[in-house]
Amino acid sequence: MENVSQWYWIHCLSPLHIGSGEGLGAIDLPIMREKVTEWPMIPGSSMKGVKRDYYRAEEGENAWFKQAFGKSDHNGAEAGALVISDGRILAFPVASRYGTFAYVTSPMVLKRLVRDAAAMGMSLEIPNLDQFEQDAKNNETAWITNDSVVVSQQQVFLDEFYGKAEISHGFTTWANWLANMLFDENEPYSKEMFIERLVLVSDDTFRYFTTMCCEITPRIRIQEDTKTTQAGALWYEEYVPTEAIFYGMIWCDRIDGSSDISKRISSLQHMKKEIFLQLGGNASVGKGRVRCRLSGGGDR
């Protein structure tokens, strides 16, 4: 699978709303979430749709575009070779008493990342996760990296979470690897900000953050003639906060029915390493601006 598939990383530059339809509770328009974990997610169909629009605008419907995204004309329809998985949450931003905010993750998130890496033919190890889970059951514990800015007197205060902070050198090493995946060499400040704010908390605490700490924004509709609020036109929308980070996998299926791996690698290499996209709704008010980065295979 090496070089036939790549990681894609989504870094939210503004609040993101990919809706799941009308809600039944206080939130009229909730975000899309995984059914089992209730973590925020980005459907693969949304990712493929915005990439399709981007490359159509950049290059037109050339031969590569039709090969990657499919075509439908008078000669019939043909599925594209490009396959994009759902985007899974990797790090969720949470307000911190120290350091302004933290990028928060959990053991279950990281174990899924390791499993997905194995599916791509990569060996990824994050040491001592089992030990952390055991410690977190006994008391509120958080792992931080070397030189963390979200700690004071070995304590972290994240939203309503209060726990003992422990520096993990293995976790720091992994955080550096991840920062290299997420950011380019010419973004040293972004790398530094990510590494010094990354925090590992228990799965239960992470679930609390992802369900209770999303942004809830009231929206209203204005009458054009009077420029006043239209009666009854008040609703609440849920957003994934700015700075949230997702990951997923992208690969090529057989191209033109051929099992030639070189064609699949070449198709992936055609894609740009980093692009800026608009995902989800409310683009006219600046929502859904994201940076999408590819890594793990050929670069462009």
Side-chain angles (χ1 to χ4, degrees), residues 4-16:
V4 181
S5 55
Q6 293 185 345
W7 296 110
Y8 76 80
W9 312 92
I10 296 295
H11 181 200
C12 294
L13 305 179
S14 68
L16 172 66

Side-chain angles (χ1 to χ4, degrees), residues 82-101:
L82 196 65
V83 183
I84 302 179
S85 76
D86 292 341
R88 294 177 170 176
I89 189 69
L90 176 65
F92 191 84
V94 178
S96 172
R97 181 180 298 182
Y98 307 107
T100 307
F101 80 97

Side-chain angles (χ1 to χ4, degrees), residues 67 78-79 81 253-260 263-264:
Q67 187 181 80
E78 183 177 318
D253 203 347
R254 295 191 175 198
I255 295 176
D256 299 328
S258 171
S259 58
D260 186 353
K263 288 184 178 181
R264 295 154 69 183

Side-chain angles (χ1 to χ4, degrees), residues 179 183-195:
F183 304 102
D184 201 78
E185 294 179 357
N186 61 2
E187 299 178 278
Y189 296 115
S190 296
K191 286 185 179 181
E192 179 182 353
M193 185 173 76
F194 176 78
I195 295 170

Side-chain angles (χ1 to χ4, degrees), residues 1-7 112-125 177 249-251 264 295-297:
M1 291 288 288
E2 185 177 2
N3 289 335
V4 181
S5 55
Q6 293 185 345
W7 296 110
R112 292 209 307 183
L113 180 68
V114 170
R115 184 184 63 190
D116 292 337
M120 294 176 62
M122 296 176 57
S123 177
L124 179 61
E125 182 179 356
W177 173 85
M249 295 170 287
I250 182 169
W251 67 94
R264 295 154 69 183
S295 63

Side-chain angles (χ1 to χ4, degrees), residues 89-220:
I89 189 69
L90 176 65
F92 191 84
V94 178
S96 172
R97 181 180 298 182
Y98 307 107
T100 307
F101 80 97
Y103 293 103
V104 178
T105 190
S106 84
M108 187 180 295
V109 170
L110 300 188
K111 287 181 177 180
R112 292 209 307 183
L113 180 68
V114 170
R115 184 184 63 190
D116 292 337
M120 294 176 62
M122 296 176 57
S123 177
L124 179 61
E125 182 179 356
I126 306 169
N128 303 321
L129 280 180
D130 291 336
Q131 183 60 50
F132 173 84
E133 288 182 300
Q134 186 62 42
D135 293 343
K137 288 180 181 178
N138 299 328
N139 50 57
E140 293 291 357
T141 301
W143 271 1
I144 57 174
T145 58
N146 300 342
D147 303 319
S148 176
V149 299
V150 297
V151 62
S152 177
Q153 299 180 347
Q154 294 186 310
Q155 303 290 336
V156 290
F157 297 83
L158 308 174
D159 192 68
E160 296 185 4
F161 171 82
Y162 164 85
K164 178 183 177 183
E166 296 182 2
I167 294 176
S168 169
H169 299 296
F171 184 60
T172 302
T173 300
W174 173 80
N176 277 274
W177 173 85
L178 183 57
N180 288 328
M181 294 289 104
L182 290 169
F183 304 102
D184 201 78
E185 294 179 357
N186 61 2
E187 299 178 278
Y189 296 115
S190 296
K191 286 185 179 181
E192 179 182 353
M193 185 173 76
F194 176 78
I195 295 170
E196 67 188 12
R197 284 174 168 78
L198 189 62
V199 179
L200 180 69
V201 300
S202 69
D203 294 323
D204 290 340
T205 302
F206 184 78
R207 184 178 183 275
Y208 168 81
F209 289 147
T210 56
T211 54
M212 303 300 293
C213 296
C214 284
E215 294 185 16
I216 308 299
T217 302
R219 299 288 304 278
I220 59 174

